[in-house]
Amino acid sequence: MAYLAPIHRPSSVRHALRIRLLEPDAECLVVAKANRLEIYAQHDDGITLSYTKALYGKVTMLEKLQFAQSPTEHLFVGTDRFMYFTLSWDSESQQLCTQKTYIDQSDKTSRDSQNQDRCHVDPTKQFMALQLYDGIVTIIPLISKGKKKGPSEAFSLGEPVPTRIKEFFVRSSCFLYPTETDEPGPRLAVLYEDNHQKVCLSIKRLEHSPGGAGDPGSANLVDLTARDDLELGASNLIPVPAPAYGLLILTESTIAFIDDATGELTNKPLDEPAIFVTWAEIDAQRWLLADDYGRLFLLILVIGNHRAKTFEINMIGNTSRASVLVYLGNGFVFVGSHQGDSQVVRIQEGGIVIVQNLPNIAPILDFTVMDMGNRSGETHSNEYASGQARIVTGSGAFQDGSLRSIRSGVGMEEQGLLGEMNHISDLFPLTSSGGRAHSDILAASFVDETRVFRFSPEGEVEELEDFMGMSLFEGSLWLSNIAGNRLLQVTSSRVTILDLDSGMATAEWSAEDASPITVASANEEYLVVSTGGSEAIIFDLSRDLHITARRAFSQEGQISCMHVPKICPDICVVGFWQSASVAILSISNLETLRKVVMSGDAVNVPRSIALTQLIVNEAPTLLVAMANGEIVTFSVSPTNFDLGSRTATILGTQGATFKILPRDGELSNVFAICEHSSLIYGSEGRILYAAVTAEEASCVCPFDGDAYPGAIALATPKDLRIALVDTERTTHVQTLKVNAAVRRVAYSPKLKAFGIGTIYRELKTGYEMIQSHFKLADEVMFKELDSHTLYSDELVESCIRADLRDGSGELVERFVVGTAYMDLEGQDVVRGRIMVFAVTPERKLQVVSELATMGACRALDVIDGNIVAALVKTVIIYSLDAPNLTKLATYRTSTAPIALSISGSEIAIADLMKSVSVVTYTRPTHPGGSHSLVEIARHFQTAWATAVAHVDEHTWLESDAEGNLMVLKQNVAGVTADDRRRLEVVSEIRLGEMVNRIRTVEVEQSGTAVVVPKAFMATVDGSVYLFALITPAKQDLLMRLQQAVAARVQSPGNVPFNAYRAFKNSVREAEEPFRFVDGELIEKFLDYPATLQESICTELGLKAQADVEEMRTMVEGLRRIH
């Protein structure tokens, strides 16, 4: 049984519009990214995200609707599952609400639109036209509230009415603006290609008759005019409003205008050819045009005597290749892109300026998993996986192409390095005077000394030999500023209060029996220390170290850690060694108020404690770090200090150390220092754990200095530095701009370099030039080291890093590249090449072998030190006998192999049309024998495969071009030989996005793991997903939990979860996902209030409170995996 969870959400933008959705008088920008809607607010510096919502379906169309009785506009949304609905904004709940839903508008007998789904609202706001199928236009009347209309129909749509048209291959369409002399009924212009490949224009009038009760009525599109004198390159229609009234036609070499009154056609040639892809209206005389090469044009219609006289077109700048343009007003334009970063640009005199970049990693053509926490190649436990994987993608297309390094976690930006310092044990922020708002002193404690650094307002640093009489010749356990312009210092031998004005000690204390101080913690009023490890002493700081209470702990054992919180100043929290327990004590008399045993294992004891406010409007959270790497959290009642909602999380194998970092208002984050340092924070009502990109952190502290506001001080075993840390987890993307499509990526840990195959495109004097390269790039700087230019008519198709056997039988590391030729004239078969590159000590590429092939080399892999090449119709194994490649064995596929996955001696082959077949490679058993490839299993269903990966014994994961995922397993226990050759579907789900590449990962399975990560998947829309297998003991529980949560989720459009995730291709359609768990759905369990969580658990047969806490802990652990 399989598990799916998102790592990076889709970033491709294909649809966007400006709409008055949130407020009647303010417009916002709505952007669709695959199955998510994002609402942005506009400001002078660009746009900011205000709201996001996931949909059950990939968005294929957006349109805005205005109803007479609604103060705001409504949003019409169409999805790839033929679900259509209207949404409005509820200002009270601050949520999108569904107004009208069309459950299913699919037509099994019609052919899907070959271009794209279109949606148009006629200028009179009476009708909406949908073009979903070739030769069919669906008309939906917009209902206005009248005398016979009830309140429920006030903001609704009528029933859809399909009508047929004779135009099948439609390139563009639009409603025309009605003129004063126009007859009733909106007019629809259709630009299409006829059966003779001529481009024609047809203008039709809509005749609609409303029906009665239960009758949707009828609609007919009547031909008015038609013409076939248009250029072959015509691609877009633009309706022109008053006063000109007409139609603009965009072609590759001209701009044409058809006058609505006279029907006259006016052409104006372009200075150079352009392939226009989208447009946006500025006003009645100006439009923005974007072409396929990222150029932005301004089209101006010159009007005289209420008629168009001429028009001008000028290029005003370069942007990402636009999929959609939205004019935001005041010269601002949103450029939504599928192939590059989306942008906000401002039109100014002389051109445009880019105001804001919105990162987009779509389409991901290829990717590689660079590391899993480090580069040593060792295996890792899957108890904690967030941020451990660094994924490098080949993203974008042509001029927008780039190499992107993606890592999910809490980002840290280094601001300054204080120098090399070994073995810092703790850090403390201080101020040199009580009136300062920002820290200007940083104290670093070592085993046998304390060092003090002063920061100037400009950020300059000097080390002080003496500071206010502090003891600098021993390590400090605690340092802080306290009321009265004083400084508190605790060392292992004494407690001292220093006056910051005079630098003199005003109070000092040390143990009568010279017992060492082992632990210390303080807030603004009290100090708690432990002497000899077994006695706790409370000091009143306002009374110059007056002892208010002391207590020796004999039964509990020695004190391992203690914490005096700021948010609950009447208590202190203490952890004990021998009893492995944590106690909440009264600060006044050290009486035990609450006590909990953390572990039955005497070795697994509390090592660090923190009590702080992580979640807004919730009870404070107590965090306990255990010696085995486990983090246990409790909610603490601020009135009676009861402990509840216990959850446990494993961060690593060793005990963590906590440091509290201030956040907004009274909230705080907790920095957990361990082998996988993490930030613990509250978001959306739950506690989240996120990996921090800082490696080897040994201690941290907040350091809000004048020059470094909101920063932290961070020590590693070797140095001390100042850094800025994010307040929550985000996806961090580092970009190497390649300005070419990164078709393939391969990574060499040994060389610390990437091999990338690129395709560069350039427009020269109206001709498109294509050039491919194979490049070597450094992994750290993302800097190009060397490049090999391929032939002018050759494209990179595949690229791998491989350990190959050379002529001597030794394994050597090589890059292998497969290519295809574009120019096929005069050729009976498709040609290609296989090239083997070595990297010299100077980090240069050297061709050691190449072979001309009789087919394009679509995929490459390596088996037993030999190259496996997927050519057209054939899979071939080659051995490297430099400078030659020798054919060893071949296998004939059904149509065309496009992906390979190798496990041991088995090769899984993804076929373009015939799903997956598995062959086994056999070496000769005696001298002179032959190598062989023999098919041992096959999936007999039709599937347009895009990728395949081996994920378990006799088990493979396959993706297809229609957005489905299938887990295939060989029936090795079958009764007959035919049964044993069959690959059976054991899990399937509709992802909704086409997967381009699947990469497997090796993660060691722990005994308590719920799921075992097996692969990463990258999609055309810029998503990255984690695929995992569920352990048998948890399969039934997770399936039932998914069913219970799905029943409680109200999605926009009221689309059922099962309908959204059910497998669907051109051959068959399922009713629900099969043995597949959607991690994003079941994680909603954590968003529910405790009462609803308990209700779900009761429904699942889990009635005890411990079962609820166990369920919460399990789901929290699943969320952290990605």
Side-chain angles (χ1 to χ4, degrees), residues 1044-1091:
V1045 175
R1048 291 167 170 81
V1049 173
Q1050 192 74 18
S1051 69
N1054 302 321
V1055 180
F1057 170 79
N1058 285 340
Y1060 165 53
R1061 285 303 193 193
F1063 180 96
K1064 179 180 182 296
N1065 64 12
S1066 57
V1067 179
R1068 68 181 179 91
E1069 183 173 353
E1071 295 182 355
E1072 61 183 2
F1074 175 59
R1075 291 171 55 84
F1076 231 116
V1077 173
D1078 185 339
E1080 189 173 15
L1081 174 70
I1082 66 171
E1083 287 167 20
K1084 294 182 183 295
F1085 176 83
L1086 299 174
D1087 299 333
Y1088 294 151
T1091 54

Side-chain angles (χ1 to χ4, degrees), residues 744 858-859 870 896-900 909-912 944-947 997:
R744 294 291 179 257
R858 303 296 188 191
I898 59 171
L900 301 170
I909 304 166
D911 190 86
L912 179 65
W944 293 74
T946 60
R997 184 68 68 188

